[in-house]
Amino acid sequence: MSLRIGVIGTGMIGQDHIRRITHVLPNCEVTAVTDVDRARAESAAAMTPNAAVYDAAAPLIAADNVDAVLIASWGPAHEEAILPALDAGKPIFCEKPLATTQDACLRIIDAEVATGRRLIQVGFMRRYDAAYKALKATVDSGEIGAPLLFHSVHRNASVPKGLYTSDMAVSDTMVHDIDVSRWLLDDEVARVRVTAAKPNSLGEDLRDPIFAVMEMRGGALATVEVSVNIGYGYDIRGEISAEKGAASLGESNPILVKTSEKFSGRVPADWRERFIAAYDAEIAEWVIAASKGGATGPSAWDGYAITAVSDAALKAANTGEAADVTLVDRPALYGN
Ligand code: NAI
Ligand code: NAD
Ligand code: ISE
């Protein structure tokens, strides 16, 4: 049986997910699409053989030939699509962030808990990347001892001028580093500080780069560099420093070329190239879980906790002071 998927939001990543559902992954197909920009939805529908174009999310979610919903609209529109999909009992893949405010995340959690089962997977795809998985397995094995520090570097070659704001360096970009910090250190963030470096002139008036320090509840630290106009490519790095050793992500280029007394390798152009296999794996796992009527991977709880840290980080960036992170009690649906 093929999982029939309705896609809400057919921009850059929505189209990339339509491509992988249509041409890469088994047992799934796109049967419906919608976008506030109708022309974009129509061109996305043309990428796949059987997709109808809808004017809005509600009728797409209600459609009989839509078994599950993939949300790739911009962050502020995620909640208005998730709530009716939960109401309809349809499994959901939602791109990060789950929602852009903590209140919206809590409304989503309440609605999912009311269904009595997990229906939402959030698109924090780094957990499906081979290098991050190996780093996590090394930490969990105990081989390097208790982790004390995690250093994360998140560099984008460039971001769209006029559309990407200083706050997005936290709410759209650093959210991935918050996710992997919580996941690798198996802990929640207690407090965060954010400092801006001398601005990169290529970013015009953006606050870029920024440097964040997160204190975990158990006392470990996570540091994050976010640079969004680094120019040379898309560069993602991570290193755990632990009591008995250290472990870091390897370089992602498959070959090293040596010539004329120099060596060189490829730096990925953007997130699509660097994480292509991770996106394939996260959607493949979602298709399997959604076909059974459920969800796996990063949960609505993760989405809420990450938005809570991102809110505190924005406060810290704007005041220059450390900001505390307070979470509600975790519902039993999301484990301990
Ligand atoms: P985009 O701007 O290219 O696409 C967003 C699309 O959503 C646009 O076509 C827009 O017209 C549509 N849209 C906005 N509001 C809508 C609504 N209410 N109903 C239907 N369509 C709506 O943005 P992009 O880069 O594709 O990002 C989309 C989402 O994916 C964001 O949440 C973003 O954070 C996430 N994303 C995740 C990535 C990852 O690495 N996991 C990478 C890039 C984006
Ligand atoms: P985008 O702007 O290219 O696409 C967003 C699309 O959503 C646009 O086509 C827009 O018209 C549409 N849209 C907006 N509001 C809508 C609504 N209410 N209903 C239907 N469609 C709506 O953005 P993008 O880069 O594709 O990002 C989309 C989402 O994916 C964001 O949440 C972003 O954070 C996430 N994202 C994640 C990654 C990742 O690495 N996981 C990478 C890129 C984007
Ligand atoms: C984008 O939305 C993503 O999620 C990418 O993974 C990230 O690197 C980029 O900075 C975001 O804008």
Side-chain angles (χ1 to χ4, degrees):
M1 247 302 264
S2 182
L3 184 76
R4 298 167 304 174
I5 300 168
V7 176
I8 299 171
T10 56
M12 279 191 293
I13 201 160
Q15 289 175 34
D16 201 40
H17 287 326
I18 291 171
R19 176 194 59 75
R20 65 173 44 83
I21 291 165
T22 308
H23 299 294
V24 181
L25 302 177
N27 306 325
C28 53
E29 63 187 304
V30 176
T31 49
V33 298
T34 185
D35 195 296
V36 284
D37 180 340
R38 168 100 194 176
R40 201 175 295 162
E42 280 169 4
S43 58
M47 294 167 57
T48 187
N50 294 317
V53 178
Y54 286 81
D55 280 331
L60 172 146
I61 292 164
D64 284 341
N65 69 345
V66 168
D67 304 316
V69 177
L70 186 153
I71 301 168
S73 55
W74 71 312
H78 291 175
E79 180 191 13
E80 72 189 32
I82 292 174
L83 293 179
L86 285 174
D87 231 18
K90 296 195 178 179
I92 299 155
F93 178 88
C94 180
E95 264 307 338
K96 43 61 59 175
L98 174 65
T100 46
T101 67
Q102 290 178 66
D103 284 350
C105 292
L106 289 172
R107 285 191 290 273
I108 291 167
I109 283 183
D110 285 349
E112 188 179 42
V113 167
T115 71
R117 64 197 160 121
R118 271 199 58 194
L119 283 168
I120 301 172
Q121 177 176 335
V122 188
F124 287 107
M125 76 298 174
R126 290 187 180 188
R127 297 183 187 205
Y128 296 88
D129 174 71
Y132 275 104
K133 279 169 72 171
L135 188 56
K136 171 77 173 155
T138 299
V139 172
D140 289 354
S141 73
E143 185 188 343
I144 57 171
L148 305 174
L149 291 154
F150 171 54
H151 301 294
S152 192
V153 172
H154 190 159
R155 297 183 183 152
N156 284 234
S158 64
V159 287
K161 296 238 167 1
L163 292 173
Y164 189 95
T165 62
S166 290
D167 282 359
M168 285 171 74
V170 174
S171 64
D172 199 58
T173 298
M174 194 177 106
V175 287
H176 287 292
D177 307 274
I178 299 170
D179 173 51
V180 288
S181 300
R182 295 175 59 251
W183 179 63
L184 290 167
L185 299 171
D186 196 16
D187 200 2
E188 295 293 359
V189 177
R191 196 165 299 106
V192 57
R193 290 183 175 75
V194 178
T195 320
K198 174 186 174 187
N200 182 337
S201 58
L202 299 176
E204 295 173 356
D205 52 1
L206 278 186
R207 183 174 58 208
D208 169 50
I210 57 169
F211 188 78
V213 180
M214 295 184 275
E215 291 172 33
M216 309 306 286
R217 287 181 180 172
L221 293 183
T223 69
V224 186
E225 172 197 322
V226 175
S227 296
V228 294
N229 287 288
I230 204 75
Y232 67 82
Y234 184 78
D235 196 7
I236 302 298
R237 300 196 207 160
E239 179 175 25
I240 295 269
S241 169
E243 284 184 348
K244 295 192 295 179
S248 48
L249 302 174
E251 287 290 341
S252 61
N253 59 313
I255 59 159
L256 208 57
V257 178
K258 295 184 183 175
T259 180
S260 309
E261 297 161 1
K262 289 185 189 136
F263 62 81
S264 63
R266 181 165 171 79
V267 180
D270 62 13
W271 40 269
R272 269 175 296 216
E273 180 179 347
R274 168 63 182 84
F275 287 113
I276 187 166
Y279 296 121
D280 287 351
E282 72 170 354
I283 301 294
E285 287 206 12
W286 175 64
V287 167
I288 292 168
S291 298
K292 297 179 193 148
T296 178
S299 66
W301 173 264
D302 294 310
Y304 156 68
I306 292 161
T307 297
V309 179
S310 146
D311 279 358
L314 284 174
K315 189 169 156 201
N318 291 322
T319 61
E321 306 286 326
D324 290 337
V325 179
T326 316
L327 301 179
V328 301
D329 290 339
R330 184 168 170 140
L333 181 66
Y334 306 108
N336 296 318

